[in-house]
Each structure stands twice: as structure tokens, then as C-alpha cells.
Amino acid sequence: MKNSQLYKGSLNTIIMKLLEENGRMYGYEITQKVKLITRGELNITEGALYPALHKLEADGLLDVEVERVDNRLRKYYKLTEQGEKETVNRLEELQEFIKNMQSLVSPAPNPDLQF
């Protein structure tokens, strides 16, 4: 994962946003969707993804459904009702964070900020 420290704190929110948009997904599908959306700039490893999924499940934000696909068991993850509400909160927090970072990285001229 490029710049992994920058993305690390947002991984749960990324997962929850994808599940909000797609209904339910399995782990590999999540990694590939992120890779596609970011044009290969962000690669989520299994070592990062599955602990995050398990934590979200333990926190009551995800449900897991197991299905047999091509003679293999596949776990599908989807948001719980609580997870749907929490996704909204986390996306708002992330948008505020991005806005603040943008202000710090590329500040607009503001004469009131003279020191």
C-alpha cells in the first residue's frame, strides 16, 4: 500500500463506504475494487483487510454470510443497520479531515491569519 500510514486510519471507512455502495462484498472483491477505483495507487493487503473486517464485525458494524461458490466457501460482508449509521458518521468525519488537510496543504490567502 503506497503511503500506508496515510491510508491506515481510513481503512475501516473505505471498507464501510464500499459496502454501503455495493450491498455486500467478499474480501478479494474489496481489494480489487479499491485498486480499480484508485487506478492501482492503493493496494490493500490481506494482512490489513481481514483484521479490519473482523474488528468491524466484532463491533457490530458488519454481518457475515457464508456461501459455497465453485465448491469453496466464501464469506460475504455487509453492513448492519448500526453499520449503515456509523458509515454516515465516519464519512462526515473523513470529509472534515480532508477539508482541514486541504486547508493546511494548500491554504487560501487569508489576511486574518497574519501572525
Side-chain angles (χ1 to χ4, degrees):
M1 187 184 302
K2 291 182 181 179
N3 301 314
S4 63
Q5 293 304 319
L6 294 174
Y7 293 109
K8 198 173 205 177
S10 302
L11 180 58
N12 288 348
T13 305
I14 292 167
I15 293 167
M16 294 169 74
K17 175 63 176 165
L18 287 173
L19 292 173
E20 177 191 58
E21 291 176 346
N22 296 283
R24 69 178 201 154
M25 300 175 81
Y26 57 96
Y28 181 75
E29 183 180 17
I30 293 170
T31 63
Q32 295 307 298
K33 187 75 163 183
V34 168
K35 193 174 184 179
L36 177 68
I37 291 169
T38 65
R39 295 181 185 96
E41 288 294 314
L42 178 57
N43 293 303
I44 299 175
T45 64
E46 288 183 16
L49 177 66
Y50 288 101
L53 288 169
H54 295 157
K55 173 85 168 85
L56 290 168
E57 180 186 5
D59 290 345
L61 303 175
L62 296 185
D63 275 335
V64 178
E65 298 173 347
V66 180
E67 286 186 17
R68 185 170 296 281
V69 177
D70 296 328
N71 237 6
R72 294 180 46 209
L73 294 179
R74 179 180 288 168
K75 285 186 178 182
Y76 286 92
Y77 299 89
K78 67 178 186 175
L79 294 171
T80 62
E81 187 175 325
Q82 179 186 352
E84 290 173 6
K85 292 175 186 171
E86 185 62 23
T87 299
V88 171
N89 294 335
R90 290 187 186 198
L91 288 171
E92 287 173 0
E93 287 177 7
L94 183 58
Q95 288 170 338
E96 187 66 24
F97 173 77
I98 291 167
K99 185 177 96 177
N100 288 329
M101 290 304 294
Q102 188 64 40
S103 295
L104 290 168
V105 173
S106 300
N110 186 344
D112 296 334
L113 295 178
Q114 299 297 324
F115 294 100

